[in-house]
Amino acid sequence: MSDRITCPECEGRGGQRYGTLFVACQFCGGLGWVGEHNEPAERGNDDQPPPPPPTAANHKVWTDPYISSAFPCRLCLGARKVSHVDEQAGTLVMVPCSCATPGST
């Protein structure tokens, strides 16, 4: 364990804000500091990194027939729009989903 220091990834901000959406820093977990009991270097000292999580469209919740029938699209959940974070502009942009374009599946 080490002393508490300001997070080097987010510089103590705890994450990044896109309009009203706040995305927590993955390094410090949104606390803005590391050390003591929040020590990222001590997490999972395995040689192999953990497998990546499944995409939202391939999540195990879709195996439930009630869930899969309630939402016509696994990407936008029927809203026909998906969110996209434009990091250069620092904004959250809504773009049309692939199900909203004619001729798509």
Side-chain angles (χ1 to χ4, degrees):
M1 245 196 289
S2 63
D3 293 335
R4 183 185 287 199
I5 61 169
T6 302
C7 176
E9 294 292 317
C10 68
E11 299 174 349
R13 293 185 307 269
Q16 193 168 5
R17 183 164 299 283
Y18 299 102
T20 58
L21 178 68
F22 181 77
V23 179
C25 174
Q26 291 183 350
F27 191 74
C28 68
L31 294 175
W33 56 270
V34 292
E36 296 178 350
H37 70 278
N38 183 31
E39 187 60 57
E42 293 179 5
R43 293 184 209 138
N45 291 332
D46 300 336
D47 291 337
Q48 298 292 328
T55 61
N58 295 327
H59 194 275
K60 64 182 178 182
V61 73
W62 295 109
T63 59
D64 184 333
Y66 294 109
I67 298 294
S68 60
S69 66
F71 299 103
C73 178
R74 292 182 180 192
L75 299 176
C76 68
L77 305 178
R80 302 176 65 89
K81 293 180 184 176
V82 292
S83 301
H84 169 71
V85 176
D86 186 346
E87 291 186 15
Q88 287 183 331
T91 58
L92 182 66
V93 180
M94 298 297 286
V95 295
C97 181
S98 60
C99 71
T101 58
S104 65
T105 57

